[in-house]
Amino acid sequence: MKIANQQVYLPLLSKKRIELAIKREDLIHPFVSGNKFRKLTYNLIEAKNRKVDTLLTFGGAYSNHIAATAFAAKANGFKSIGVVRGDELEDNWENNPTLCFAHEQGMRFYFISRELYRARSNASFLKGLQEKFGAFYLIPEGGTNPLAVKGCEEILSDGDRRFQVICCAVGTGGTLSGIINAADTRQHILGFPALKGDFLKEDIRKFVHRTNWELQTGYHFGGYAKVDESLINFINDFKKRTQIPLDPVYTGKMLFGILDLVKKDFFLPDTKILAIHTGGLQGIAGMNPVLKKKNLPQLDL
Ligand SMILES: *Cc1c(COP(=O)(O)O)cnc(C)c1O
């Protein structure tokens, strides 16, 4: 599946003679993040080959990956179990749009404390899950494993070789790894982490053997799912000008970063940039009540 690029026109870009196009992977599905779809593709094939009928995965309450796994499981005839961080959600998940969507897809939830969640990759915890739920195909939090990276290698197409720079939002780094592997070695790949932490580079090096990439670590806005007024206003303004919706957790921070770097003359004039819109728009519905509580402006739907 090859997705078209959309040209972005903004006064800042013409002033700095920068070409910016966005690959609209968000259009793959209205609720399922484009990159999560890609990450699941080969994992679903592997689960079928192993003749397992249940997918089990982990995530937070607003996780794009939980939503995507629930949807893909249903569409491909699997049962799904979501191990969700936060046992306080047990009696409260119906107020959460992401979990409601996952539930509608038939996902069964297992809510666990944050403490237990941190131990989720321990052998003893996994063994307990097997005793509780029977055989399952395990997909890690965020969906990243070698098969997921392979799926993300299909995001770029031959026509994308005309760009000198390719930008992508980073959570676990699986999507960026696929982009790096599939890009031309003459292209420069920029990752924009949506969270704080120095572990990402090492994680990415497990999947890639090239060096034509770097992380722009100055645009996480305080950490995962943290936002401020300038980011919300940027996302609303970007949508007004370009008709392209961005999500507040990943793609909004990446685009904010790209345009900030353009402003600061990080890119030479006549650079052609491709930004990957990985999706994440299902998260807006869950974010708006959080913004309201914090007296921040709402994201336009
Ligand atoms: C999960 C997600 C990412 C991050 O992908 P990783 O492969 O974990 O780095 C980026 N954008 C969106 C919209 C996502 O849902």
Side-chain angles (χ1 to χ4, degrees):
M1 182 172 25
K2 295 297 176 197
I3 299 294
N5 300 333
Q6 179 175 344
Q7 200 75 24
V8 176
Y9 300 99
L10 293 170
L12 171 70
L13 295 169
S14 10
K15 185 177 144 207
K16 301 281 189 183
R17 295 210 331 252
I18 299 291
E19 183 185 327
L20 175 63
I22 297 191
K23 187 172 290 294
R24 297 293 307 273
E25 295 265 310
D26 57 309
L27 297 176
I28 291 179
H29 191 273
F31 298 110
V32 180
S33 290
N35 71 328
K36 300 301 184 291
F37 227 95
R38 305 252 183 213
K39 287 168 141 191
L40 286 166
T41 307
Y42 289 104
N43 278 294
L44 294 171
I45 293 171
E46 178 64 17
K48 261 184 203 150
N49 288 343
R50 290 192 203 169
K51 305 207 174 4
V52 190
D53 69 350
T54 303
L55 308 178
L56 181 142
T57 196
F58 302 92
Y62 298 98
S63 164
N64 293 328
H65 169 65
I66 286 280
T69 303
F71 180 85
K74 185 177 180 197
N76 292 277
F78 291 98
K79 289 183 255 182
S80 65
I81 298 165
V83 181
V84 181
R85 181 179 60 228
D87 43 9
E88 77 282 358
L89 288 158
E90 179 99 55
D91 309 310
N92 204 14
W93 63 265
E94 275 131 327
N95 295 323
N96 179 296
T98 302
L99 296 179
C100 284
F101 172 76
H103 177 77
E104 279 162 29
Q105 310 306 308
M107 182 175 262
R108 194 173 151 194
F109 298 130
Y110 179 41
F111 295 97
I112 60 175
S113 68
R114 283 165 174 73
E115 199 182 349
L116 202 52
Y117 193 86
R118 274 192 290 275
R120 66 188 172 281
S121 19
N122 289 359
S124 64
F125 179 64
L126 291 173
K127 194 157 166 271
L129 289 177
Q130 237 139 29
E131 278 157 16
K132 195 172 167 69
F133 296 113
F136 53 74
Y137 183 83
L138 178 78
I139 303 173
E141 183 188 49
T144 290
N145 59 15
L147 289 176
V149 173
K150 177 174 149 123
C152 291
E153 288 170 7
E154 295 174 357
I155 293 173
L156 295 179
S157 50
D158 288 342
D160 297 330
R161 293 187 185 266
R162 70 182 197 85
F163 295 98
Q164 285 104 22
V165 177
I166 304 173
C167 299
C168 183
V170 175
T172 61
T175 309
L176 188 76
S177 297
I179 303 271
I180 294 168
N181 289 339
D184 196 284
T185 49
R186 284 166 300 190
Q187 291 178 303
H188 193 65
I189 321 301
L190 284 185
F192 291 80
L195 64 169
K196 281 195 270 193
D198 336 309
F199 50 90
L200 274 172
K201 264 194 181 162
E202 286 313 308
D203 289 353
I204 292 165
R205 285 197 191 108
K206 285 179 206 150
F207 296 113
V208 308
H209 302 287
R210 295 183 177 172
T211 53
N212 56 325
W213 59 279
E214 69 181 291
L215 298 181
Q216 284 293 334
T217 54
Y219 300 103
H220 57 64
F221 286 81
Y224 184 73
K226 299 270 189 340
V227 298
D228 68 11
E229 189 158 352
S230 72
L231 180 66
I232 304 296
N233 291 339
F234 168 78
I235 290 171
N236 286 338
D237 183 63
F238 190 84
K239 187 175 176 196
K240 261 194 218 108
R241 289 167 182 257
T242 65
Q243 273 73 56
I244 300 176
L246 301 172
D247 83 292
V249 180
Y250 292 105
T251 56
K253 293 179 180 181
M254 170 187 68
L255 252 309
F256 187 104
I258 293 170
L259 293 177
D260 190 56
L261 291 173
V262 169
K263 238 178 255 166
K264 293 174 173 160
D265 297 314
F266 177 85
F267 305 106
L268 292 172
D270 301 317
T271 299
K272 296 180 178 61
I273 304 172
L274 176 65
I276 312 297
H277 194 321
T278 36
L281 302 171
Q282 70 86 24
I284 293 178
M287 181 61 92
N288 268 337
V290 177
L291 296 174
K292 199 168 175 189
K293 262 191 218 149
K294 294 185 179 162
N295 267 324
L296 287 167
Q298 294 282 287
L299 286 158
D300 298 333
L301 289 172

